């Protein structure tokens, strides 16, 4: 390995460790990392690139700002959805889609995957499902940043409400 490449790799490792350390100390980034598919780097990117999550009217507006919602071609009461708009920051959108693909890869192979994920993969092509899951992840991130709290898995919610 050339000296320059080793120096670059060392610098990347150093920066990654700094991002992970910052994610552990910042409360918003810590809460974001509780969402499946969002790690320290994605949480830091959201924190850096989203100026004020309260400035968005709803989670759908936030996802649309990121470019994760489908374009609508509707007329006469007939709703037609097209491709995603790809507005907003491409790096943040890519990180969210990559996190979603990692979740889908695990869900495709695991027997105890969430049923709605298996149904999504059965109905839609893999990349379309990944963008849909990234859209859902972005909406959850907006809700956590606006309302506080931490992400709790839906199965956890179902078992706690059944036990109560």
């Amino acid at each position: 390995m050339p000296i320059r490449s080793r120096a670059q790799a060392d610098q990347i490792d150093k920066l990654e460790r700094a991002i992970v350390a910052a994610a552990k100390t910042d409360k918003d980034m810590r809460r974001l990392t509780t969402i499946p598919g969002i790690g320290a780097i994605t949480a830091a990117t959201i924190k850096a690139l989203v100026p004020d999550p309260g400035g968005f009217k709803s989670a759908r507006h936030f996802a649309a700002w990121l470019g994760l919602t489908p374009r609508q071609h509707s007329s006469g009461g007939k709703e037609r959805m097209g491709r995603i708009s790809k507005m907003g920051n491409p790096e943040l959108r890519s990180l969210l889609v990559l996190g979603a693909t990692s979740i889908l890869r695990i869900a495709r192979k695991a027997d105890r995957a969430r049923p709605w994920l298996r149904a999504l993969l059965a109905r839609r092509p893999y990349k379309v499902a990944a963008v849909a899951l990234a859209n859902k992840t972005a909406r959850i991130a907006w809700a956590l940043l606006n309302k506080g709290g931490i992400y709790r898995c839906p199965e956890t919610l179902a078992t706690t409400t059944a036990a109560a």
Side-chain angles (χ1 to χ4, degrees):
M1 186 186 271
I3 295 173
R4 182 174 178 190
S5 296
R6 184 173 296 244
Q8 287 175 342
D10 291 341
Q11 186 176 12
I12 290 171
D13 288 340
K14 183 181 174 185
L15 289 172
E16 187 175 348
R17 282 192 300 270
I19 290 171
V20 170
K24 288 180 182 176
T25 59
D26 186 60
K27 65 176 183 144
D28 286 338
M29 289 197 301
R30 234 185 356 230
R31 285 186 300 165
L32 286 173
T33 56
T34 61
I35 303 170
I38 293 185
I41 293 175
T42 307
T45 306
I46 290 172
K47 183 79 171 157
L49 296 178
V50 178
D52 178 28
F56 298 100
K57 190 172 165 182
S58 68
R60 176 163 170 76
H61 286 94
F62 178 64
W65 181 73
L66 291 173
L68 290 170
T69 56
R71 286 191 166 183
Q72 292 184 354
H73 304 286
S74 305
S75 68
K78 189 170 189 177
E79 216 174 275
R80 293 191 190 109
M81 298 297 196
R83 299 177 180 186
I84 61 170
S85 62
K86 294 188 180 175
M87 302 297 281
N89 191 305
E91 288 83 17
L92 182 53
R93 187 175 52 254
S94 296
L95 287 172
L96 288 169
V97 172
L98 280 172
T101 55
S102 68
I103 292 171
L104 289 177
R105 189 175 337 123
I106 292 168
R108 192 165 42 177
K109 295 178 182 176
D111 291 336
R112 16 179 234 119
R114 297 184 198 136
W116 64 269
L117 273 177
R118 290 186 155 265
L120 180 66
L121 283 170
R123 285 193 321 260
R124 302 276 183 228
Y126 188 78
K127 289 185 178 182
V128 172
V131 171
L133 186 57
N135 183 350
K136 182 176 180 157
T137 303
R139 290 174 184 228
I140 293 170
W142 178 84
L144 286 184
L145 288 173
N146 265 346
K147 299 174 183 165
I150 61 168
Y151 177 79
R152 294 188 300 167
C153 188
E155 288 89 29
T156 310
L157 291 175
T159 57
T160 55
T161 54

